[in-house]
Amino acid sequence: MSGVLGLVVKGIFFFYPVSLFFFTLYSYLSIRYTQNFSKEHLCKGDEVQYKLLIENSGALSSVIITAHFKKVHPYLKQELEDFKITLSPGRSIKKQYKVSCPYRGIYVLGLSTIVIQDHWGIFCFKISIWQRTFYVYPRLLTFTHYTLRYLGFSEGQLSNAIGIQNNFSLFAYMEEYKWGDPLNRFDWKRWLYRNQAVIKMYEQELTEGVCLIFDTFAYRNDIKNLEEWADQDCLIEVLFALLDYFVNNHIPLVLLIPMPEIREVIFSSQDDIQDFINHSLEICFSPEKSMHIVSKYFRMSSYSKRFLIGLSNDIYSLVDTSREYNNGNSHWIYAISRLPSEEIISFIQERNQGADHFSVINNSKEQLEELI
């Protein structure tokens, strides 16, 4: 009797682990999953609808299935929680998530691994899943002539920046008047005496154009401070809007930007802007004071006669640098994502004596959208 009992015990100790192994392996081979994302190309502020389906295609109930998710972004709190399930034959589970992308950067969405493990934790199989990476770019805003006037650019500054100007001393020909044509070139005498609505056309000549200098200063090396992260996004959005405006108006344009060495980027078409946007995640902000360095580079470059626009979210560097340019041929933009403090407003008023024009842009989400 004891011999038979011993054989039974040995059989259990041998066959149970073997059957458990094959049962776990069968579950591993039977599990199917699909992931769907509502968007492929994202801009700051977009939301992604993420749908996950895990199903058991086998004829047996599964062992324990654990779904592990990747962290969406190292500096954001939002996470997708891991979960455990068991599935009956032919059954599935569906999950739906809404993931927001409030800042530019690189986001990772979806599963990292699915772990199939028996109830005793003896055997384990892992399905490794290729990470789904989303590159979230700044929003693309559109500035008009009226936007720049609202931001504080004078008509004189804007005329200095125009790349193709009419030479009013060189008359070219007459052209039929169309709605929206400037009335200052309307030929009133011809209209009064001959009843012809025409405008005068003049020879055009190319001017120097615009040089943008961009400050990459940040108080910290990382972007764990979300307020500062939002400031940087606001600054970059203003930069892209200005690039778009000047290129659309055929104004010669060059950008001087530390990446980290000072880089000269020439823009003449929308393709140039799109190429720069595709590399915009390479723009790194650091505690190094770059505005003074870029400004010095500008003065030594062949672009020094161009209309100068400086962009920064460090008001102290911006004001100090602007005081070196009192020729009426520059404009300075201080862009942050929140209302400037009373201390900063007082600083601008005290230090901005005799400096060129300033614009203060705040709250990029609301103010900038109101401008366009």
Side-chain angles (χ1 to χ4, degrees), residues 36-42 48 50 72-73 101 105-110 131-137 281:
N36 291 306
F37 302 90
S38 60
K39 295 182 179 180
E40 294 293 332
H41 305 287
L42 302 177
V48 181
Y50 165 49
V72 175
H73 195 284
C101 304
I106 300 174
Y107 292 73
V108 179
L109 303 182
Q131 68 178 19
R132 188 63 179 271
T133 302
F134 288 88
Y135 296 91
V136 178
Y137 296 97
L281 297 182

Side-chain angles (χ1 to χ4, degrees), residues 318-319 322-323 326 332 346-359:
L318 196 66
V319 170
S322 70
R323 291 168 67 85
N326 292 317
W332 306 86
S346 299
F347 177 81
I348 296 173
Q349 292 173 345
E350 292 172 4
R351 299 292 295 275
N352 196 26
Q353 298 298 321
D356 286 276
H357 293 75
F358 256 81
S359 297

Side-chain angles (χ1 to χ4, degrees), residues 171-184:
F171 173 77
Y173 56 91
M174 292 289 192
E175 188 175 89
E176 184 179 353
Y177 174 79
K178 297 182 292 297
W179 178 257
D181 285 340
L183 292 176
N184 62 337

Side-chain angles (χ1 to χ4, degrees), residues 254-273:
V254 64
L255 169 68
L256 304 181
I257 180 171
M259 293 184 70
E261 298 296 326
I262 296 178
R263 180 178 164 192
E264 299 179 10
V265 189
I266 297 174
F267 298 90
S268 58
S269 67
Q270 286 295 330
D271 290 340
D272 295 332
I273 295 178

Side-chain angles (χ1 to χ4, degrees), residues 58-231:
L60 302 174
S61 294
S62 71
V63 294
I64 298 174
I65 303 167
T66 305
H68 294 281
F69 292 95
K70 301 178 186 298
K71 187 170 177 58
V72 175
H73 195 284
Y75 298 149
L76 296 178
K77 293 182 179 179
Q78 63 173 335
E79 290 187 44
L80 306 181
E81 293 186 1
D82 299 347
F83 63 86
K84 293 184 179 182
I85 54 168
T86 56
L87 293 174
S88 303
R91 299 300 297 272
S92 64
I93 182 172
K94 296 179 181 179
K95 294 274 188 177
Q96 184 167 329
Y97 304 90
K98 183 183 291 185
V99 181
S100 61
C101 304
Y103 307 100
R104 71 184 181 95
I106 300 174
Y107 292 73
V108 179
L109 303 182
L111 292 168
S112 59
T113 55
I114 295 177
V115 177
I116 292 92
Q117 189 174 34
D118 67 86
H119 292 78
W120 300 101
I122 299 174
F123 301 107
C124 175
F125 294 92
K126 289 184 179 180
I127 303 174
S128 295
I129 299 169
W130 185 262
Q131 68 178 19
R132 188 63 179 271
T133 302
F134 288 88
Y135 296 91
V136 178
Y137 296 97
R139 296 174 306 161
L140 301 181
L141 307 177
T142 302
F143 281 2
T144 65
H145 181 86
Y146 300 104
T147 309
L148 297 187
R149 292 288 289 123
Y150 179 86
L151 292 178
F153 283 79
S154 67
E155 285 292 349
Q157 287 181 316
L158 293 175
S159 64
N160 288 346
I162 294 175
I164 300 177
Q165 287 186 323
N166 290 310
N167 186 337
F168 293 105
S169 64
L170 298 175
F171 173 77
Y173 56 91
M174 292 289 192
E175 188 175 89
E176 184 179 353
Y177 174 79
K178 297 182 292 297
W179 178 257
D181 285 340
L183 292 176
N184 62 337
R185 289 193 279 121
F186 189 84
D187 192 332
W188 295 98
K189 288 184 179 180
R190 188 176 291 259
W191 180 65
L192 288 171
Y193 293 108
R194 300 187 183 181
N195 198 28
Q196 293 180 351
V198 294
I199 58 173
K200 298 175 183 179
M201 304 300 293
Y202 298 90
E203 296 290 344
Q204 293 185 326
E205 58 185 15
L206 203 64
T207 61
E208 292 285 347
V210 173
C211 181
L212 284 165
I213 61 175
F214 188 85
D215 185 16
T216 55
F217 171 77
Y219 290 97
R220 302 167 186 83
N221 271 317
D222 57 47
I223 50 176
K224 292 182 180 179
N225 184 295
L226 299 185
E227 197 171 72
E228 190 166 347
W229 193 359
D231 288 349

Side-chain angles (χ1 to χ4, degrees), residues 352-366:
N352 196 26
Q353 298 298 321
D356 286 276
H357 293 75
F358 256 81
S359 297
V360 178
I361 299 177
N362 61 77
N363 201 342
S364 64
K365 186 176 189 307
E366 297 175 4

